[in-house]
Amino acid sequence: MKSKFRLKNGLLSILFACNLFNVAQAQQPISVNGFGSVRMGKLIPSKDNPKLVEFYNDDGLSFADDTLFGLQLQAESDNDLSYTLQLIGKAVADYKPEVSLAFVKYQLNPNHKIKFGRLAVPLFAQSDVQYIGYAHDYSRLPKAVYYRFDFEVADGVAFEGQQIYQDFSLNYLLQLTDFKGQVFKNQLPGGIELKLHQMKNFRLELNYQNLQLFTGGIRAKTDGSQLNEVLINSRVLPAVLASGASAIEQQNFLSGLNFNKNAQYTFVGFRWQQQAWKLEGEHARYGINDSADAASTSEYLALSYRFDPYILSLHHERATENPHNLAVLRQTTDPVLRQIGARFAQALNNVDYRMQVLSLRYDLQPGLCLKADLFRGHHRLENIGTFKGFSLGVDFVF
Amino acid sequence: MYSNRIPIRRWFISCCFCGLLPLFLSAAAVTAADFVVVVHPKNQSMMDQNLLLQLYLNKTAAFDDGHAAILLHLPRTSAEHQQFCLELMNLTANQYQSYWSRLVFTGNATNLTFASPEQLLRQVRLNPSAIAYLPANTTLSGVRQLGFLRDGQWQAAPADF
């Protein structure tokens, strides 16, 4: 994940810099904005650390996992055309800059626009602001859903629009993107390469007075050659060859596990605000269909109360992968192969935890807030069990 | 399996003992005030409360005549800005800044522009796209009054303004 966004793919950045320079030459204003989070925290495991992505995996107090700085340049060459370049430097990646957004926006009319370039993928409802700590009330968005996947951003084209009718407003987003990056970071340090082709992404958001309903998803063709190599060929193939099953059985078994299929992500959620109270929740389901990657489900439900300038939030979150979903082995009858498949599925799909988080946000002034949270969770794996922890930090925008 | 429940009550009580609750309850209330909304004299668009709300929430980026609008705000720590946010959008200034940061960092808006009343008036006189709000008792010249926001209710200015 750390390497994907880096400036090795710098052509886009250079093009944008040139565009911005040209705009500057035309004496059009360039707005420079930034955001950041500086947070320290600690996870106190009862046994082993659950090793959730960028979530206090090391012993002791950590300043790195949630600490980041972002810088954004925006320029308009006329009323309809604008350019955005956003860089993020995460402490966990030693602040190496990653291009998190880089796009040209063309405003078709007051209600519709198109964007070309590196875009935020509507993986989940708040994926586009998950690193903007100031924009939400939590120390970090619920980890179970906002797990920090590489394909939160991808290169492509987007069409966005909105329709307003009396008290209703409907926002919609359609995208066609491509992605190449690392996944399965809990299986191998740094992750394993995955390509997602022809990602067809959408998001719908319906607003009515104090209620928001949202849904969205992506569907893509996966090129999981590296996943097949690292996870199947090196870990499973030797046992399969030694199983004594027929060649056809072995072939069917390996075809079932194969990652070169369709990936699918969907989410649905709501947000309801009444005076100082806010209730929001989201449910997501995702995975690579009919492969060794069992469907994952994750969800959270949060209740917040605002005592301006304070906001107190309590949320419950849950992430589950079902290692016992052996539908992928339905064409496999050989008992030895089924046993190998079951063991592999359990090793690969081992995220299963619940967590409760109490968060406090204190707005020092517009643009600057302090946050603290306490969390306590339980992991299904016996070697992990219960864990707890806390974090303190500051979020800002300018 | 998940028998270890979060000790919510214990945490809440701890927070109270730490003195946070009295701080919550001491949040100052802001009294209602009147605002006048002004644009460039050449801007002949009409305004109602819903359109003003949509503009300041970036739900729409244009006046009713289709011309782009540039929003101007009084200083973000000023009592007037805080009051305007509450009266028009029912948001505190902190909430409004948080809401707007979502728009900025998704590339869907530029950052909020803040200025003193004098600077706002100067910018509105110079820029036909600008729209600003000011305390209703501000002495105005060289701008067109669109209307007034009084206790959260919009009142269009008479046609001869």
Side-chain angles (χ1 to χ4, degrees):
Chain A
M1 179 174 197
K2 280 79 181 178
S3 64
K4 181 180 67 76
F5 303 111
R6 289 177 192 164
L7 294 173
K8 67 180 182 182
N9 203 357
L11 181 59
L12 200 58
S13 308
I14 294 168
L15 287 172
F16 266 85
C18 290
N19 268 324
L20 292 174
F21 179 74
N22 288 335
V23 172
Q25 291 292 297
Q27 295 187 332
Q28 294 290 332
I30 296 176
S31 59
V32 180
N33 302 117
F35 58 90
S37 299
V38 179
R39 182 161 290 110
M40 66 173 187
K42 181 177 171 65
L43 187 144
I44 305 163
S46 60
K47 297 174 188 169
D48 292 344
N49 190 303
K51 301 280 185 187
L52 306 176
V53 175
E54 295 174 10
F55 193 62
Y56 311 121
N57 287 184
D58 298 326
D59 293 338
L61 206 58
S62 168
F63 287 83
D65 293 74
D66 288 319
T67 297
L68 59 88
F69 288 85
L71 189 66
Q72 178 171 294
L73 304 180
Q74 276 180 292
E76 293 183 1
S77 60
D78 59 45
N79 285 339
D80 298 326
L81 201 57
S82 67
Y83 310 87
T84 300
L85 173 64
Q86 187 183 93
L87 303 173
I88 290 183
K90 294 181 181 175
V92 289
D94 201 22
Y95 298 107
K96 290 192 174 83
E98 304 167 346
V99 179
S100 48
L101 291 178
F103 61 79
V104 179
K105 181 179 78 173
Y106 183 70
Q107 195 78 36
L108 297 166
N109 59 48
N111 287 326
H112 295 95
K113 56 198 165 199
I114 51 175
K115 294 176 179 174
F116 303 91
R118 178 158 293 179
L119 308 164
V121 172
L123 204 55
F124 306 114
Q126 301 187 74
S127 290
D128 52 355
V129 293
Q130 70 168 313
Y131 294 114
I132 323 296
Y134 183 80
H136 55 74
D137 299 338
Y138 314 98
S139 290
R140 71 200 66 73
L141 284 169
K143 196 76 186 170
V145 176
Y146 298 90
Y147 200 66
R148 301 193 180 174
F149 294 98
D150 269 13
F151 34 95
E152 293 153 355
V153 296
D155 298 329
V157 57
F159 173 77
E160 295 180 37
Q162 67 168 4
Q163 295 295 328
I164 299 175
Y165 178 72
Q166 294 181 347
D167 288 344
F168 291 90
S169 73
L170 177 68
N171 298 309
Y172 39 89
L173 163 68
L174 298 171
Q175 282 183 348
L176 184 63
T177 56
D178 249 51
F179 164 84
K180 177 183 171 186
Q182 310 300 115
V183 294
F184 280 107
K185 280 168 273 182
N186 60 344
Q187 293 292 320
L188 201 70
I192 306 165
E193 184 182 276
L194 174 72
K195 295 175 185 169
L196 295 173
H197 299 301
Q198 299 173 40
M199 296 171 69
K200 293 178 269 294
N201 320 324
F202 82 98
R203 183 178 65 205
L204 293 174
E205 182 183 303
L206 179 66
N207 300 280
Y208 175 70
Q209 295 182 347
N210 300 331
L211 180 66
Q212 282 183 320
L213 302 174
F214 37 82
T215 185
I218 70 172
R219 187 175 174 83
K221 291 182 178 176
T222 60
D223 177 350
S225 305
Q226 282 298 310
L227 287 176
N228 289 337
E229 183 61 37
V230 175
L231 295 178
I232 297 177
N233 292 352
S234 65
R235 296 188 188 180
V236 182
L237 191 58
V240 171
L241 295 175
S243 67
S246 70
I248 293 176
E249 279 272 17
Q250 290 183 18
Q251 191 173 352
N252 286 341
F253 175 74
L254 293 170
S255 297
L257 299 183
N258 196 301
F259 289 100
N260 287 331
K261 289 163 186 161
N262 287 326
Q264 193 163 315
Y265 282 65
T266 55
F267 69 85
V268 60
F270 74 98
R271 182 178 298 122
W272 175 77
Q273 286 181 270
Q274 184 67 38
Q275 304 293 347
W277 291 95
K278 182 169 76 176
L279 181 68
E280 68 178 11
E282 190 173 343
H283 173 85
R285 182 178 169 83
Y286 52 87
I288 300 175
N289 296 340
D290 298 323
S291 76
D293 182 29
S296 301
T297 58
S298 58
E299 57 205 3
Y300 75 89
L301 183 65
L303 180 66
S304 305
Y305 188 76
R306 177 169 52 81
F307 313 75
D308 201 56
Y310 295 89
I311 299 173
L312 187 65
S313 304
L314 176 66
H315 81 257
H316 175 86
E317 60 180 77
R318 186 178 72 162
T320 308
E321 292 175 319
N322 183 4
H324 304 297
N325 178 7
L326 301 178
V328 68
L329 301 177
R330 58 180 171 264
Q331 292 187 20
T332 301
T333 54
D334 184 272
V336 178
L337 290 181
R338 289 188 69 84
Q339 198 174 25
I340 293 170
R343 278 204 304 268
F344 180 57
Q346 285 177 27
L348 194 63
N349 305 294
N350 57 14
V351 174
D352 189 344
Y353 75 94
R354 298 178 181 197
M355 186 159 67
Q356 297 84 33
V357 186
L358 184 67
S359 311
L360 180 68
R361 171 180 175 143
Y362 169 56
D363 280 282
L364 277 171
Q365 63 177 60
L368 181 66
C369 69
L370 304 175
K371 289 180 185 169
D373 72 350
L374 296 169
F375 53 86
R376 183 182 177 92
H378 188 87
H379 201 286
R380 177 181 58 86
L381 293 179
E382 288 183 1
N383 62 316
I384 297 175
T386 302
F387 57 92
K388 58 187 176 183
F390 68 92
S391 74
L392 298 166
V394 58
D395 295 307
F396 57 88
V397 295
F398 59 88
Chain B
M1 180 183 289
Y2 298 103
S3 57
N4 293 296
R5 299 294 182 200
I6 186 173
I8 303 167
R9 190 163 50 183
R10 199 166 65 211
W11 285 350
F12 182 75
I13 292 170
S14 301
C15 288
C16 294
F17 279 122
C18 288
L20 293 178
L21 192 57
L23 284 175
F24 297 153
L25 300 176
S26 69
V30 185
T31 55
D34 294 350
F35 296 96
V36 59
V37 177
V38 298
V39 293
H40 191 275
K42 288 183 180 172
N43 183 337
Q44 292 302 309
S45 62
M46 303 299 287
M47 183 65 65
D48 60 27
Q49 184 155 2
N50 194 36
L51 180 56
L52 188 67
L53 179 65
Q54 288 178 13
L55 280 173
Y56 275 90
L57 289 176
N58 201 48
K59 301 275 187 191
T60 184
F63 293 104
D64 70 340
D65 60 5
H67 288 97
I70 296 175
L71 309 178
L72 303 174
H73 292 266
L74 289 167
R76 61 182 175 184
T77 54
S78 67
E80 290 84 0
H81 172 65
Q82 296 180 33
Q83 185 61 35
F84 182 79
C85 292
L86 271 179
E87 288 201 22
L88 180 64
M89 296 168 282
N90 196 26
L91 296 174
T92 65
N94 291 327
Q95 285 179 296
Y96 185 57
Q97 182 78 42
S98 177
Y99 169 84
W100 200 267
S101 68
R102 288 181 173 241
L103 301 173
V104 172
F105 295 112
T106 52
N108 290 319
T110 53
N111 212 354
L112 296 169
T113 302
F114 300 97
S116 67
E118 297 75 24
Q119 290 171 323
L120 287 190
L121 271 176
R122 197 177 312 127
Q123 291 185 43
V124 172
R125 286 190 203 111
L126 291 172
N127 191 340
S129 297
I131 178 172
Y133 60 88
L134 294 156
N137 58 3
T138 306
T139 304
L140 303 174
S141 67
V143 297
R144 176 177 167 235
Q145 296 180 29
L146 282 177
F148 299 89
L149 191 66
R150 289 188 169 125
D151 297 334
Q153 295 301 310
W154 176 253
Q155 294 173 8
D160 56 349
F161 271 101

